[in-house]
Amino acid sequence: MVSDIEELVTCESPSTDLAAVAASADVVARVGTRRLGVEPERIVLDGRTHLRWRFGDGPARVLVLGHHDTVWPLGTLATHPFAVTDDVMRGPGCFDMKAGVVMAFHAIARLADRSGVTVLITGDEEIGSPSSRALIEAEAQGCVAALVLEASADGGALKTARKGGSWYTVRAHGLAAHAGLEPERGVNVTVELAHQILAMTELGDDALGTTVTPTLLSAGTTTNTVPAVGEVMVDARARTVAEQKRVDAAMRALEPVLDGAKLEILGGPNRPPLETSASADLFARASTVAAKLGLPPLTSTAVGGASDGNFTAGMGIPTLDGLGAVGGGAHAADEHVLVPELPGRTDLLVALIADLLAGTAK
C-alpha cells in the first residue's frame, strides 16, 4: 500500500493543471488496474479526467468515491518530498486523499464478489467538482450507500456531517471621479462594499454553525480615482439545507446603500449539507462491523469542509465520509498519514462493503 501511495503522490496533480490531472489519472489507472485486474473507463469532461470502475452486470448498489487531484502546485515535491519516517508518511496529497484512493483499490481487490460496486475517482474535487458533479450524482442514483474515502478527522473519526458550501461574488458598480478634485461627484464602490461586507457578516449564526465570510476583495484602478467597479468574494457554510437557503435568500436580497450604486450577486450554493441524518444508519453499521473485526470503537464528528459526499447526501443517498487515511495536515505543510493505521482502516472498508452488498443481495 505504501508503494502504491508513493506512486500516486509522486505524480503531482494540481486541480487547475489539466495536463497534470491527466497524467495523474494515468498513474491512478495503472495502480487501480494492477490491484483490480481490470482497466477503468476514462471520462474526460471539460478537459478534466475522471476514472470509473463498474463491477457486475446488475445495478450499482455501493458507490466508492474519491478524487486524485490536490491543492498542491507543481514543484511541491521539491520542498515536500514523499517520505516515510518512523511510521509517518509525508508528501503532497498523501492524506488528502491519495492514500484513500489506494485503500479503495486494496479493499475492493479483497472482496469475494464485487458485483454491484462502482468506484469513481474524480479529478476536480478540490475546486468544487465543476465537471464531475453530474457524473457523481448519476453514479449514486439507486445506490444504497456512498462511501467516501476522504481522509478522517482528528484521531481517525469518521465524518458524519459536513456543512454545505455556497460561494458568491458581490460586485458593485459606481461612478468614477477624481479623488482629489471632486470625489463628491463619484459613487465609491469601496465604500459601498464596506457597507455590504458588514451586512453580510451579520448573516452568520454562531448557534447554528452558519458562517458567512468575505474573502477576496478588489476595487478601483488608481490611487487618485474614485473606484467605479469592485467586488468581494464570499464563502458561506451551513449545517442544514434550511440555513443554506436562508443565507442564499438574504444574499440575493442585499440592496445598495449609496445613491447611484448598483449590485450584482453572482454564484450561490455549490454543495448541499451532508446532514447527520444521511450518515447515522451507515455509521451504526460501520460501528458494528468494526466491533466484529476487533477494531477500536469508531468515533464521529461534524466538520466545516465539504466533499463530494455532500452531493450524494443531498440526493438522499446514505453517505459515510472520512473512511480514508488517519493522519492530519490536509492542505498544510505538515500533511501526513499514520502508516500503522492503514491496514485496520482497509479491513473496515472491506467488511463494510461486503456487509452492504450482502444486505442488498436478492
Side-chain angles (χ1 to χ4, degrees), residues 244-268:
Q244 190 174 47
K245 288 181 176 179
R246 178 189 68 80
V247 170
D248 187 61
M251 288 292 296
R252 299 188 188 285
L254 292 172
E255 294 286 346
V257 173
L258 302 182
D259 289 341
K262 296 180 180 179
L263 292 179
E264 288 182 88
I265 312 298
L266 308 174

Side-chain angles (χ1 to χ4, degrees), residues 1 32 35-36 55 64-66 97-111 117 119-121 147-149 323-324 346 349-350 353:
M1 292 181 73
R35 297 303 167 196
L36 299 174
F55 297 101
V64 178
L65 191 57
M97 59 158 285
K98 292 185 175 182
V101 172
V102 169
M103 289 171 59
F105 293 155
H106 280 254
I108 293 164
R110 289 168 50 189
L111 290 172
V117 175
V119 183
L120 182 62
I121 309 298
L147 306 180
V148 186
L149 270 293
L323 284 160
T346 306
L349 186 60
V350 175
I353 296 173

Side-chain angles (χ1 to χ4, degrees), residues 131-144:
S131 73
S132 62
R133 176 175 183 170
L135 176 63
I136 293 164
E137 292 175 339
E139 293 303 317
Q141 193 69 45
C143 286
V144 299

